[in-house]
């Protein structure tokens, strides 16, 4: 293929399914979620004191936030989910990323039980299909931090999946902390990509149908 065609083919990692930029299309479930990145599994967990979409913090619409209670050594967890149908057919490569922030007057020196993670589940939101990214929270308060896109994951075009984001934190002492996520992005391939052009030509005509772009929470 000429360079123009190769560029178009590379679009299979830059077209996004649509995720509403407010909280309206996400389903929240406080007190539950996917287990932590690599540290010990949290065998006890409870609901965040506040777990909701908050306007005016994060992007222009707002961000999802979980506020822990003040119980010493208590693990808090919550998740948001949204279903989508993967565009195209056959094997489709996807990547994922999101923004996160952690705030609190006093945070744990070790946040092994504090994390944010982005996963793909089946349509019933019950079986893990793939983890796209998972970040253990730091022991300090970072500003909004953008994760890098994950490695490619193969999904099946035309299949319905669930995007799940889990927020978790374990308190230290009686101080509360706030875990925030925003700009959830799962990139997927465009559909109907075709390349045409005269034989021996250095130019090519390209056409494709992208899924609607969106930025997430």
């Amino acid at each position: 293929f000429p360079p123009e065609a190769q560029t178009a083919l590379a679009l299979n990692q830059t077209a996004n399914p649509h995720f509403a930029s407010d909280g309206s299309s996400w389903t929240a479930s406080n007190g539950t979620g996917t287990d932590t990145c690599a540290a010990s599994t949290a065998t006890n967990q409870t609901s965040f004191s506040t777990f909701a979409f908050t306007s005016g913090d994060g992007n222009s619409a707002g961000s999802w936030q979980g506020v822990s209670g003040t119980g010493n050594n208590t693990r808090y967890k919550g998740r948001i989910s949204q279903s989508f149908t993967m565009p195209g057919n056959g094997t489709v490569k996807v990547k994922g990323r999101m923004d996160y922030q952690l705030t609190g007057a006093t945070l744990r020196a070790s946040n092994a039980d504090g994390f944010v993670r982005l996963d793909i589940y089946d349509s019933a939101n019950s079986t893990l299909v793939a983890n796209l990214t998972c970040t253990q929270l730091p022991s300090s308060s970072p500003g909004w931090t953008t994760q890098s896109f994950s490695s490619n994951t193969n999904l099946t075009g035309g299949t319905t999946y669930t995007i799940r984001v889990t927020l978790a934190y374990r308190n230290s002492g009686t101080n509360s902390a706030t875990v925030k996520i925003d700009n959830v992005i799962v990139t997927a391939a465009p559909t109907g990509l075709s390349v045409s052009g005269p034989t021996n030509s250095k130019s090519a005509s390209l056409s494709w149908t992208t899924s609607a772009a969106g930025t997430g929470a």
Side-chain angles (χ1 to χ4, degrees):
F1 286 143
E4 293 85 353
Q6 295 177 17
T7 299
L9 291 172
L11 288 171
N12 70 338
Q13 297 179 10
T14 60
N16 302 333
H18 176 71
F19 307 111
S21 58
D22 57 28
S24 62
S25 58
W26 294 92
T27 299
S29 180
N30 200 0
T32 186
T34 308
D35 285 331
T36 186
C37 301
S40 60
T41 299
T43 55
N44 61 316
Q45 57 195 36
T46 188
S47 297
F48 281 104
S49 293
T50 303
F51 185 62
F53 184 83
T54 303
S55 61
D57 187 3
N59 65 39
S60 57
S63 60
W64 277 93
Q65 302 184 12
V67 182
S68 70
T70 57
N72 186 25
N73 213 33
T74 302
R75 293 180 173 94
Y76 299 90
K77 186 180 288 186
R79 78 185 193 208
I80 59 170
S81 304
Q82 183 179 157
S83 63
F84 74 105
T85 300
M86 180 59 61
N89 54 70
T91 300
V92 180
K93 294 184 181 298
V94 300
K95 292 175 180 284
R97 51 135 293 191
M98 61 186 169
D99 298 345
Y100 69 91
Q101 186 182 45
L102 174 66
T103 61
T106 303
L107 303 176
R108 292 190 65 86
S110 173
N111 275 329
D113 294 316
F115 63 92
V116 291
R117 62 176 290 164
L118 171 62
D119 298 292
I120 301 294
Y121 274 71
D122 63 357
S123 59
N125 199 13
S126 59
T127 301
L128 177 66
V129 175
N131 169 244
L132 297 183
T133 184
C134 190
T135 297
Q136 183 175 314
L137 294 173
S139 57
S140 58
S141 296
W144 279 104
T145 302
T146 299
Q147 293 177 311
S148 299
F149 275 106
S150 59
S151 300
N152 284 333
T153 294
N154 292 333
L155 298 182
T156 303
T159 300
T160 299
Y161 297 96
T162 303
I163 294 175
R164 179 192 291 188
V165 180
T166 300
L167 293 73
Y169 187 74
R170 180 158 64 98
N171 250 15
S172 177
T174 58
N175 298 297
S176 64
T178 302
V179 185
K180 309 174 185 180
I181 60 98
D182 194 11
N183 296 327
V184 180
I185 297 177
V186 176
T187 66
T191 60
L193 175 63
S194 63
V195 182
S196 61
T199 304
N200 298 324
S201 173
K202 293 184 178 180
S203 62
S205 297
L206 310 173
S207 63
W208 64 90
T209 301
T210 62
S211 49
T215 55

